[in-house]
């Protein structure tokens, strides 16, 4: 099974309202990020996207802690929707089935590509010492 851009956008769009609410609640966003880190650590089958996804999770946590604001609201909502999708065990291909993380991997890879410029800016910010907002 291969998801195309339109299918991925439709999946993420369905989560937009929930993602927007979570992104506004910093405590819930931190808990979401922590849950995703734990699930990612338990799934070596995601090694191809693990580094990029860890960076995206770090970006979201820095945003939730009010230390980084270099991401547009639309991108934050998209990233949070992707994390929600990843954490849902009953998504397009249920996670408990053989190959159940294939769809998660495709959605995350698409989001990482889509946000690559913003992720690069975050990495540059971190490299400079992750200066706090003024």
């Amino acid at each position: 099974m291969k998801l195309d851009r339109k299918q991925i956008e439709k999946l993420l769009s369905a989560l937009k309202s929930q993602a927007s609410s979570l992104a506004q609640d910093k405590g819930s966003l931190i808990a979401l990020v922590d849950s995703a880190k734990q699930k990612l650590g338990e799934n070596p089958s995601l090694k191809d996207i693990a580094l990029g996804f860890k960076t995206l999770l770090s970006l979201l946590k820095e945003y939730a802690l009010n230390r980084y604001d270099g991401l547009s609201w639309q991108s934050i909502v998209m990233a949070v929707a992707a994390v929600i999708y990843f954490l849902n065990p009953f998504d397009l291909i249920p996670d408990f089935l053989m190959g159940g993380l294939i769809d998660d991997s495709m959605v995350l890879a698409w989001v990482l590509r889509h946000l690559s410029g913003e992720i690069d800016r975050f990495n540059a910010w971190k490299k400079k010492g992750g200066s706090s907002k003024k």
Side-chain angles (χ1 to χ4, degrees):
M1 164 179 234
K2 182 150 169 67
L3 296 172
D4 65 24
R5 177 185 61 85
K6 290 211 181 266
Q7 291 169 313
I8 292 171
E9 288 174 352
K10 186 176 179 180
L11 291 169
L12 294 174
S13 181
L15 297 169
K16 187 177 182 179
S17 176
Q18 183 183 3
S20 181
S21 294
L22 269 169
Q24 292 176 51
D25 180 348
K26 303 298 176 114
S28 294
L29 181 55
I30 290 170
L32 184 83
V33 166
D34 291 343
S35 294
K37 284 180 181 177
Q38 182 178 356
K39 183 175 178 180
L40 179 62
E42 297 167 358
N43 290 288
S45 63
L46 297 172
K47 66 179 188 290
D48 292 342
I49 61 158
L51 181 59
F53 188 40
K54 284 179 185 175
T55 301
L56 184 65
L57 293 173
S58 176
L59 186 159
L60 288 173
K61 192 159 193 173
E62 292 295 323
Y63 164 79
L65 294 170
N66 294 317
R67 295 193 290 227
Y68 183 74
D69 65 357
L71 198 61
S72 71
W73 180 248
Q74 180 181 2
S75 296
I76 291 166
V77 171
M78 179 188 299
V80 172
V83 175
I84 292 168
Y85 187 85
F86 172 69
L87 288 173
N88 182 357
F90 299 104
D91 48 29
L92 194 59
I93 303 172
D95 293 353
F96 58 84
L97 295 177
M98 176 76 89
L101 293 176
I102 291 172
D103 60 319
D104 300 67
S105 181
M106 285 188 277
V107 168
L108 292 172
W110 185 87
V111 168
L112 291 171
R113 279 192 306 276
H114 191 77
L115 299 179
S116 64
E118 295 187 76
I119 291 169
D120 289 344
R121 283 191 292 282
F122 174 72
N123 282 329
W125 174 82
K126 277 189 1 184
K127 198 171 195 175
K128 288 181 182 177
S131 306
S132 297
K133 294 190 320 185
K134 295 180 181 179

